[in-house]
């Protein structure tokens, strides 16, 4: 038990180092045509319990039904409990900032036009997911490190309706949607 604690501490330290290095580099450009055709959502399920609301983006932006991919974070989750949203947690942290979770790896294997970072806390695993996800536009909240997102929306986390309206407004200004 004692050694596991030391191991977890070193994993956390190596992941923090990886995150700092990734944020200091110029972000990798994703070569995708303009317009929004695919959306990825990284959601803090500890603070926002309704991830199914993100499927409203399908109708909002006239997307294919499978164009929205959601992955949720819980500080602790039981693998035997059924979750409607794929979930990763703190125990999925590997060495050098790797996330050892099949749902997370599948999410990271795709390219997105828009990544919605729906969390407002400086959480290492959520930030690692954001840094590792390939997306043309990354959107998030002002409470987290501003280097993570291209567009920062200043609304409360619980107010999804206002977030959705503000996002649509700014995507229209950026000529990403009609």
């Amino acid at each position: 038990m004692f050694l596991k604690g030391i191991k977890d501490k070193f994993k956390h330290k190596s992941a923090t180092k990886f995150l700092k290095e990734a944020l200091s580099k110029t972000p990798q450009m994703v070569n995708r045509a303009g317009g929004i055709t695919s959306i990825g959502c990284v959601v803090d399920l500890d603070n926002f319990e309704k991830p199914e609301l993100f499927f409203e983006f399908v109708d909002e932006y006239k997307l294919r039904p499978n164009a929205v991919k959601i992955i949720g974070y819980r500080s602790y989750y039981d693998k035997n409990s059924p979750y409607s949203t794929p979930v990763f947690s703190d125990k999925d942290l590997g060495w050098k900032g790797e996330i050892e979770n099949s749902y997370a790896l599948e999410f990271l294997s795709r390219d997105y036009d828009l990544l919605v970072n729906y969390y407002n806390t400086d959480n290492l695993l959520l930030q690692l997911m954001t840094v590792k996800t390939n997306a043309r536009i990354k959107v998030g909240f002002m409470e987290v490190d501003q280097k993570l997102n291209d567009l920062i929306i200043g609304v409360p986390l619980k107010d999804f309706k206002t977030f959705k309206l503000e996002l649509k407004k700014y995507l229209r200004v950026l000529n990403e949607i009609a």
Side-chain angles (χ1 to χ4, degrees):
M1 190 68 175
F2 174 72
L3 292 177
K4 183 176 178 355
I6 291 174
K7 180 176 138 186
D8 289 345
K9 187 174 182 178
F10 280 119
K11 281 184 180 181
H12 192 275
K13 191 173 182 177
S14 73
T16 303
K17 182 179 176 185
F18 173 84
L19 182 63
K20 282 182 183 175
E21 289 173 4
L23 288 174
S24 67
K25 294 178 187 172
T26 304
Q28 177 183 336
M29 296 299 292
V30 176
N31 292 327
R32 290 179 66 96
I36 303 297
T37 58
S38 64
I39 300 175
C41 304
V42 179
V43 184
D44 183 357
L45 296 176
D46 289 337
N47 296 313
F48 186 75
E49 296 85 27
K50 298 178 182 172
E52 63 277 358
L53 291 175
F54 289 97
F55 289 112
E56 293 177 8
F57 288 146
V58 171
D59 296 330
E60 195 84 21
Y61 302 126
K62 298 172 183 59
L63 302 172
R64 297 179 324 273
N66 64 346
V68 176
K69 300 293 181 204
I70 303 170
I71 188 154
Y73 164 82
R74 288 203 183 274
S75 54
Y76 173 79
Y77 77 99
D78 182 8
K79 290 190 180 203
N80 297 325
S81 295
Y83 294 106
S84 60
T85 304
V87 175
F88 69 102
S89 75
D90 290 334
K91 62 183 175 181
D92 296 321
L93 179 62
W95 292 102
K96 296 183 180 177
E98 292 298 316
I99 299 174
E100 298 170 347
N101 177 298
S102 59
Y103 296 126
L105 294 174
E106 191 219 328
F107 184 86
L108 293 172
S109 69
R110 300 172 186 264
D111 288 342
Y112 302 97
D113 292 313
L114 177 67
L115 178 67
V116 177
N117 296 309
Y118 211 78
Y119 57 91
N120 61 359
T121 56
D122 280 330
N123 180 292
L124 181 62
L125 262 90
L126 289 167
Q127 291 176 335
L128 285 171
M129 280 297 286
T130 299
V131 166
K132 290 173 173 272
T133 303
N134 292 323
R136 253 184 342 105
I137 302 170
K138 295 181 180 182
V139 179
F141 291 89
M142 66 174 49
E143 291 88 358
V144 297
D145 191 336
Q146 311 239 333
K147 296 176 192 169
L148 292 169
N149 299 306
D150 303 316
L151 178 62
I152 298 165
I153 298 180
V155 298
L157 187 73
K158 303 283 186 196
D159 192 1
F160 183 75
K161 185 177 180 183
T162 305
F163 178 84
K164 192 170 70 165
L165 288 171
E166 289 293 312
L167 179 59
K168 188 171 187 175
K169 178 174 78 174
Y170 286 111
L171 289 177
R172 191 169 282 127
V173 168
L174 295 170
N175 292 325
E176 294 294 334
I177 58 173

